[in-house]
Amino acid sequence: MKVTKAVIPAAGLGTRVLPATKAMPKEMLPIVDKPAIQYIVEEAVRSGITDILIITNRGKGLIEDHFDRAPELEAKLTGSQKEAMFHSVVDISKLANIYFVRQKETKGLGHAVNCARSFVGNEPFAVLYGDDVIIGEDPACGQLIRAYEEFGQGVLGVKEVTPEAIVKYSSLKVDPIRDNLYQCTDMVEKPSPDKILSLFSILGRCVLPPEIFDILDRTQPGAGGEIQLTDAMCQLARTTGMVAVDFTGKRYDMGNKLGIMQAQVELALKHPEIGGDFKAYLKEIASSL
Ligand code: UTP
């Protein structure tokens, strides 16, 4: 079955980026001139997704406004010289069919995904974590969708992380299939050092079958007292199996300060308008460090 629906959970509290995220959702933090969540929606659209549900909560109205029309602003930009600017504003509202639902209590990523049940229905769907921006020629979400279409199992976007980082993420038990594809048969969220299964961790993307919702209904709070998506996916991995894709593309974690600055610097260097000037500036700064 073709994967055309995606869910973007964006209802976290973003405590690691306070005070920036006190009133502003972390998903709206800009990388040069676009908010993080726009990069994520664009990746989904390039992957063949037509319908996107963004999970929000109180105080995330800015996200809804960003994907809406802005008639007053558009009126100001309708003049020949501002054509490009006009399109940069209007085109955002035409990217896909974008829907919103609120997660009424912040009970974890698994709980957030479970809010998508009626939107998803009985179809496979992609999940793109709202604070993980992945930049690459071949969109990461599309790489996972291709694996879903080939194997008919849930798919995880994975990368190897350092031993220091793995204890803060998930850790997967994997066996090679071919190239960058692995069979995943077990996983653990935030493992203690003696429970690490491998340095492969789920980073920001997965494609799930609709059976995940019944599993989520039964999933008890896990690490951090939250309903963990990893715990529900672990059930799938142990029963039907899941496929892990070591995706190509650079991933930026917009949920922590260092990740935000790495995204800013690297994408500013590639930016068509300011890239050259920024590089010269960075070289000057670097020479004095
Ligand atoms: P994180 O755990 O990174 O988000 O969740 P957080 O809770 O905002 O982070 P900190 O620890 O307080 O800084 C990964 C993704 O899941 C969403 C977040 O918005 C983020 O995109 N999420 C998390 C929800 O939608 N609901 C939740 O209850 C938790």
Side-chain angles (χ1 to χ4, degrees):
M1 192 180 226
K2 243 180 129 36
V3 181
T4 59
K5 290 182 178 172
V7 174
I8 303 179
L13 297 176
T15 53
R16 285 166 296 158
V17 203
L18 282 168
T21 48
K22 183 182 173 194
M24 180 164 82
K26 67 177 164 183
E27 297 79 11
M28 287 299 291
L29 289 168
I31 308 178
V32 191
D33 52 6
K34 272 197 268 184
I37 196 163
Q38 188 180 336
Y39 289 89
I40 296 170
V41 167
E42 287 172 352
E43 178 198 324
V45 171
R46 284 170 60 218
S47 305
I49 297 293
T50 55
D51 292 82
I52 298 174
L53 178 72
I54 302 180
I55 316 277
T56 64
N57 61 5
R58 286 174 301 284
K60 303 259 181 174
L62 279 181
I63 300 179
E64 296 180 28
D65 291 348
H66 187 71
F67 291 101
D68 197 358
R69 295 290 296 266
E72 285 152 25
L73 180 62
E74 289 165 21
K76 278 251 184 276
L77 296 175
T78 40
S80 55
Q81 311 210 316
K82 292 173 181 159
E83 176 105 8
M85 240 186 259
F86 174 81
H87 283 292
S88 76
V89 168
V90 172
D91 292 354
I92 301 168
S93 64
K94 298 180 183 162
L95 284 167
N97 300 317
I98 301 185
Y99 307 85
F100 299 89
V101 71
R102 284 187 178 205
Q103 181 190 18
K104 297 196 181 74
E105 288 174 279
T106 312
K107 287 189 180 169
L109 182 57
H111 183 261
V113 169
N114 211 7
C115 298
R117 188 192 265 263
S118 62
F119 164 79
V120 167
N122 201 25
E123 293 177 36
F125 64 104
V127 181
L128 298 92
Y129 301 8
D131 55 356
D132 272 314
V133 170
I134 302 176
I135 304 293
E137 253 209 11
D138 186 11
C141 179
Q143 297 174 44
L144 271 61
I145 290 175
R146 291 202 295 274
Y148 182 87
E149 285 167 357
E150 179 176 350
F151 295 95
Q153 290 179 351
V155 183
L156 306 158
V158 306
K159 279 207 182 284
E160 276 185 294
V161 302
T162 61
E164 295 75 50
I166 196 84
V167 292
K168 291 185 245 155
Y169 295 128
S170 56
S171 170
L172 311 185
K173 184 166 186 273
V174 291
D175 296 305
I177 300 176
R178 64 161 202 265
D179 308 322
N180 61 340
L181 302 176
Y182 300 82
Q183 187 71 51
C184 170
T185 50
D186 203 0
M187 65 184 83
V188 54
E189 179 68 25
K190 298 189 176 54
S192 52
D194 58 315
K195 297 263 163 59
I196 294 171
L197 299 169
S198 78
L199 294 181
F200 276 110
S201 189
I202 305 162
L203 293 185
R205 303 287 179 270
C206 52
V207 173
L208 297 170
E211 288 75 31
I212 196 75
F213 294 113
D214 283 344
I215 301 175
L216 279 167
D217 279 345
R218 295 192 299 268
T219 302
Q220 297 300 313
E226 297 191 329
I227 297 181
Q228 296 288 350
L229 182 60
T230 309
D231 292 344
M233 292 193 297
C234 179
Q235 283 251 0
L236 273 185
R238 287 180 181 172
T239 51
T240 60
M242 293 188 85
V243 173
V245 179
D246 185 356
F247 58 83
T248 59
K250 180 88 194 268
R251 174 236 181 202
Y252 301 99
D253 181 358
M254 295 297 288
N256 76 71
K257 298 177 188 90
L258 186 61
I260 293 168
M261 291 318 299
Q262 287 165 337
Q264 297 283 7
V265 170
E266 290 186 32
L267 295 190
L269 284 170
K270 288 189 193 148
H271 195 279
E273 193 184 316
I274 62 158
D277 289 348
F278 185 66
K279 188 173 185 178
Y281 165 76
L282 210 57
K283 278 187 172 162
E284 190 191 316
I285 294 271
S287 67
S288 66
L289 292 178

Coordinates of all heavy atoms in Angstrom, one line a residue, residues 52-89:
I52 N -0.8 15.6 5.9 CA 0.1 15.7 7.1 C -0.7 16.2 8.3 O -1.4 17.1 8.2 CB 1.2 16.7 6.8 CG1 2.1 16.3 5.6 CG2 2.1 16.9 8.1 CD1 3.2 17.3 5.2
L53 N -0.6 15.4 9.4 CA -1.2 15.8 10.6 C -0.1 16.3 11.6 O 0.8 15.5 11.9 CB -1.9 14.6 11.3 CG -2.6 14.9 12.6 CD1 -3.8 15.9 12.5 CD2 -3.0 13.7 13.4
I54 N -0.2 17.5 12.0 CA 0.8 18.0 13.0 C 0.1 18.0 14.4 O -1.0 18.5 14.6 CB 1.2 19.5 12.6 CG1 1.8 19.5 11.2 CG2 2.2 20.0 13.7 CD1 2.3 20.9 10.7
I55 N 0.8 17.3 15.3 CA 0.3 17.2 16.7 C 0.8 18.4 17.5 O 2.0 18.6 17.6 CB 0.8 15.9 17.4 CG1 0.7 14.7 16.5 CG2 0.1 15.7 18.7 CD1 -0.6 14.0 16.4
T56 N -0.1 19.2 18.0 CA 0.3 20.4 18.7 C -0.3 20.4 20.1 O -0.9 19.4 20.5 CB -0.2 21.7 18.0 OG1 -1.6 21.7 18.0 CG2 0.3 21.8 16.5
N57 N -0.1 21.5 20.8 CA -0.8 21.7 22.1 C -0.9 23.1 22.3 O -0.7 24.0 21.4 CB 0.0 20.9 23.2 CG 1.4 21.5 23.4 OD1 1.8 22.4 22.7 ND2 2.1 20.8 24.2
R58 N -1.3 23.5 23.6 CA -1.5 24.9 23.9 C -0.2 25.7 23.5 O 0.9 25.2 23.8 CB -1.8 25.1 25.4 CG -3.2 24.7 25.8 CD -3.3 24.7 27.3 NE -2.4 23.8 28.0 CZ -2.5 22.5 28.0 NH1 -3.5 21.9 27.5 NH2 -1.6 21.8 28.6
G59 N -0.4 26.9 23.0 CA 0.8 27.7 22.7 C 1.5 27.4 21.4 O 2.5 28.0 21.1
K60 N 0.9 26.5 20.6 CA 1.6 26.2 19.3 C 0.9 26.8 18.1 O 1.0 26.3 17.0 CB 1.8 24.7 19.2 CG 2.5 24.0 20.3 CD 3.9 23.7 20.0 CE 4.6 23.0 21.2 NZ 6.0 22.6 20.9
G61 N 0.0 27.8 18.4 CA -0.8 28.4 17.3 C 0.1 29.0 16.2 O -0.3 29.1 15.0
L62 N 1.3 29.4 16.5 CA 2.2 29.9 15.5 C 2.5 28.9 14.4 O 2.6 29.3 13.2 CB 3.6 30.2 16.1 CG 3.8 31.5 16.9 CD1 5.2 31.6 17.4 CD2 3.5 32.7 16.0
I63 N 2.5 27.7 14.7 CA 2.7 26.6 13.7 C 1.5 26.6 12.7 O 1.7 26.6 11.5 CB 2.9 25.2 14.3 CG1 4.1 25.2 15.3 CG2 3.0 24.2 13.2 CD1 4.3 23.9 16.0
E64 N 0.3 26.7 13.3 CA -0.9 26.8 12.4 C -0.8 28.0 11.5 O -1.1 27.9 10.3 CB -2.2 26.8 13.2 CG -2.3 25.5 14.0 CD -3.5 25.4 14.9 OE1 -4.5 26.0 14.5 OE2 -3.5 24.7 15.9
D65 N -0.5 29.2 12.1 CA -0.4 30.4 11.3 C 0.6 30.3 10.2 O 0.4 30.8 9.1 CB 0.0 31.6 12.2 CG -1.1 31.9 13.2 OD1 -2.3 31.4 13.0 OD2 -0.9 32.7 14.1
H66 N 1.7 29.6 10.4 CA 2.8 29.5 9.4 C 2.3 28.8 8.2 O 2.8 29.2 7.1 CB 4.0 28.9 10.0 CG 5.2 28.9 9.1 ND1 5.9 30.1 8.8 CD2 5.8 27.9 8.3 CE1 6.8 29.8 7.9 NE2 6.8 28.5 7.6
F67 N 1.5 27.8 8.3 CA 1.0 27.0 7.2 C -0.3 27.5 6.6 O -0.9 26.9 5.7 CB 1.0 25.5 7.5 CG 2.3 24.9 7.7 CD1 2.8 24.7 9.0 CD2 3.2 24.7 6.7 CE1 4.1 24.2 9.2 CE2 4.5 24.2 6.8 CZ 4.9 23.9 8.1
D68 N -0.8 28.7 7.1 CA -2.0 29.3 6.6 C -1.7 30.4 5.6 O -0.5 30.8 5.4 CB -2.7 29.9 7.9 CG -4.2 30.2 7.6 OD1 -4.7 29.9 6.5 OD2 -4.8 30.6 8.6
R69 N -2.7 30.9 4.9 CA -2.5 32.1 4.1 C -2.3 33.3 5.0 O -2.8 33.3 6.2 CB -3.7 32.3 3.2 CG -4.0 31.2 2.2 CD -2.9 31.2 1.1 NE -2.9 32.4 0.3 CZ -3.5 32.6 -0.9 NH1 -4.2 31.6 -1.4 NH2 -3.4 33.7 -1.6
A70 N -1.8 34.4 4.5 CA -1.6 35.6 5.3 C -2.0 36.8 4.4 O -1.1 37.5 3.9 CB -0.1 35.7 5.8
P71 N -3.3 37.0 4.3 CA -3.8 38.0 3.2 C -3.2 39.4 3.3 O -2.8 40.0 2.3 CB -5.3 38.0 3.5 CG -5.6 36.8 4.2 CD -4.4 36.4 5.0
E72 N -3.0 39.9 4.6 CA -2.5 41.3 4.7 C -1.0 41.4 4.2 O -0.6 42.3 3.4 CB -2.6 41.8 6.1 CG -4.0 42.1 6.5 CD -4.2 41.9 8.0 OE1 -3.3 42.0 8.8 OE2 -5.4 41.7 8.3
L73 N -0.2 40.4 4.6 CA 1.2 40.3 4.2 C 1.2 40.1 2.7 O 2.0 40.8 2.0 CB 1.8 39.2 4.9 CG 3.3 38.9 4.7 CD1 4.2 40.2 5.1 CD2 3.8 37.7 5.4
E74 N 0.4 39.2 2.2 CA 0.4 38.9 0.7 C 0.1 40.2 -0.1 O 0.7 40.5 -1.1 CB -0.5 37.8 0.4 CG -0.1 36.4 0.9 CD -1.2 35.4 0.9 OE1 -2.2 35.6 0.2 OE2 -1.1 34.4 1.7
A75 N -0.9 41.0 0.4 CA -1.3 42.2 -0.3 C -0.1 43.1 -0.4 O 0.1 43.8 -1.4 CB -2.5 42.8 0.4
K76 N 0.7 43.2 0.7 CA 1.8 44.1 0.7 C 2.9 43.6 -0.3 O 3.8 44.4 -0.7 CB 2.5 44.1 2.1 CG 1.8 45.0 3.0 CD 2.7 46.2 3.4 CE 2.1 47.1 4.4 NZ 1.1 48.1 3.9
L77 N 2.9 42.4 -0.6 CA 4.0 41.8 -1.4 C 3.7 41.7 -2.9 O 4.5 41.2 -3.7 CB 4.4 40.4 -0.9 CG 5.0 40.4 0.5 CD1 5.3 39.0 1.0 CD2 6.3 41.2 0.6
T78 N 2.4 42.1 -3.2 CA 2.1 42.0 -4.7 C 2.5 43.2 -5.4 O 1.9 44.2 -5.5 CB 0.5 41.8 -4.9 OG1 -0.1 42.7 -4.0 CG2 0.1 40.4 -4.7
G79 N 3.7 43.1 -5.9 CA 4.3 44.1 -6.8 C 5.4 43.4 -7.5 O 6.0 42.5 -6.9
S80 N 5.8 43.8 -8.7 CA 6.7 43.0 -9.5 C 8.0 42.7 -8.7 O 8.5 41.6 -8.8 CB 7.0 43.8 -10.8 OG 7.5 45.0 -10.5
Q81 N 8.5 43.7 -7.9 CA 9.8 43.5 -7.3 C 9.8 42.4 -6.2 O 10.8 41.9 -5.8 CB 10.3 44.8 -6.8 CG 10.2 45.9 -7.8 CD 11.2 46.9 -7.7 OE1 11.5 47.4 -6.6 NE2 11.8 47.4 -8.8
K82 N 8.6 42.2 -5.7 CA 8.5 41.3 -4.5 C 8.0 40.0 -4.8 O 7.6 39.2 -4.0 CB 7.7 42.0 -3.4 CG 8.4 43.2 -2.9 CD 7.5 44.0 -1.9 CE 8.3 45.3 -1.4 NZ 7.3 46.3 -0.9
E83 N 8.0 39.7 -6.1 CA 7.4 38.4 -6.6 C 7.9 37.2 -5.9 O 7.2 36.3 -5.4 CB 7.7 38.3 -8.1 CG 7.3 37.0 -8.8 CD 6.0 37.2 -9.6 OE1 5.6 38.4 -9.8 OE2 5.5 36.2 -10.1
A84 N 9.3 37.1 -5.7 CA 9.9 35.9 -5.1 C 9.5 35.8 -3.6 O 9.1 34.8 -3.1 CB 11.4 36.0 -5.2
M85 N 9.4 37.0 -3.0 CA 9.0 37.0 -1.6 C 7.6 36.6 -1.4 O 7.2 35.9 -0.5 CB 9.2 38.4 -1.0 CG 10.1 38.6 0.1 SD 10.1 40.2 0.7 CE 11.5 40.9 0.0
F86 N 6.7 37.1 -2.3 CA 5.3 36.7 -2.3 C 5.2 35.2 -2.4 O 4.4 34.6 -1.6 CB 4.6 37.4 -3.5 CG 3.2 37.0 -3.7 CD1 2.2 37.6 -2.9 CD2 2.8 36.1 -4.6 CE1 0.9 37.3 -3.1 CE2 1.5 35.7 -4.8 CZ 0.5 36.3 -4.0
H87 N 5.9 34.6 -3.4 CA 5.7 33.2 -3.5 C 6.3 32.4 -2.3 O 5.7 31.4 -1.9 CB 6.4 32.7 -4.8 CG 5.5 33.0 -6.0 ND1 4.4 32.3 -6.2 CD2 5.7 33.9 -7.0 CE1 3.8 32.8 -7.3 NE2 4.6 33.8 -7.8
S88 N 7.4 33.0 -1.7 CA 7.9 32.3 -0.5 C 6.9 32.2 0.6 O 6.9 31.3 1.4 CB 9.2 32.9 -0.1 OG 9.0 34.1 0.6
V89 N 6.0 33.2 0.6 CA 5.0 33.2 1.7 C 3.8 32.4 1.3 O 3.3 31.6 2.1 CB 4.6 34.7 2.0 CG1 3.4 34.8 2.8 CG2 5.7 35.5 2.6

